[in-house]
Amino acid sequence: SLADLKLRVLITCSGLDRGSAADSEERYAVERAVEELEKQSLLSPVQFRDMFDGKWRLVYTSALSPGSESGGGAGANSLPIFQTPAPAASRSFGGRGQVGQVYQDVQVQKGQLDNVVEVNPLGPLPLGKTTLTLEHKLDFVEGSPQRCKITLVNVAVDGPLKQLGLQPIRLPVLEAISSQGAGVFDTTFCDSDLRIARGDRGELRVFVKC
């Protein structure tokens, strides 16, 4: 059933720290589970845009998996992208930040798609959570209703780093999840609580609705 296929995707993604902990066998298992679910995608263009809209939490992306070489993200020798857990993961950002949740906020009517990353800066003083929002212009590709182009227009900072007037910390995860200038994504499955997207740089992404 559709529910079983969706559950299988989520189970294969679990424990992979959004893809950053996935090895080649685990990437293969996710890919196979996703392919089976994609066969059930029967959305009309109107249904897709209604369901596409809203806030989505990133569950998995191949761009964060070392050795995947997808999405302009992780290569075979990449350090861990997420700082979970310490101390080994402290290499990820040079001990400067611990990444929390990653979201995608889609506003179809406004033509906007934001990648939102929660970060807890690490240092001698507890600064608290900072939110980095990578703001993108959203356009749908003519003739392909479930294909969209996103173009980065701004990076906004909210939280202690902004209040203290500090520069945003540079995080590898931002380079992995955000398009370099512009990117094209196909939504290959989408319903009210699960979405699958494939990018033009080979990446696979799985989201759940918030």
Side-chain angles (χ1 to χ4, degrees), residues 141-162:
V141 177
E142 186 175 356
S144 301
Q146 290 174 221
R147 175 172 293 179
C148 62
K149 177 182 178 181
I150 61 173
T151 306
L152 182 65
V153 295
N154 185 47
V155 178
V157 182
D158 189 27
L161 291 182
K162 179 180 181 180

Side-chain angles (χ1 to χ4, degrees), residues 49-63:
R49 295 203 182 193
D50 286 342
M51 292 185 177
F52 184 45
D53 205 67
K55 188 173 183 179
W56 300 84
R57 179 171 60 84
L58 180 69
V59 173
Y60 172 88
T61 172
S62 61

Side-chain angles (χ1 to χ4, degrees), residues 64-93:
L64 300 182
S65 176
S68 69
E69 307 293 346
S70 68
N77 298 316
S78 296
L79 292 174
I81 288 185
F82 291 108
Q83 284 206 334
T84 50
S90 65
R91 300 192 306 270
S92 300
F93 310 130

Side-chain angles (χ1 to χ4, degrees), residues 68-139:
S68 69
E69 307 293 346
S70 68
N77 298 316
S78 296
L79 292 174
I81 288 185
F82 291 108
Q83 284 206 334
T84 50
S90 65
R91 300 192 306 270
S92 300
F93 310 130
R96 298 177 63 192
Q98 183 178 34
V99 174
Q101 296 295 341
V102 179
Y103 300 98
Q104 197 168 82
D105 190 9
V106 182
Q107 300 180 69
V108 172
Q109 293 299 320
K110 291 184 177 181
Q112 184 170 338
L113 183 151
D114 298 336
N115 286 321
V116 182
V117 181
E118 296 178 349
V119 181
N120 289 299
L122 303 180
L125 297 176
L127 296 177
K129 183 175 71 176
T130 289
T131 301
L132 305 178
T133 302
L134 290 80
E135 301 172 354
H136 295 80
K137 181 176 182 290
L138 172 67
D139 295 295

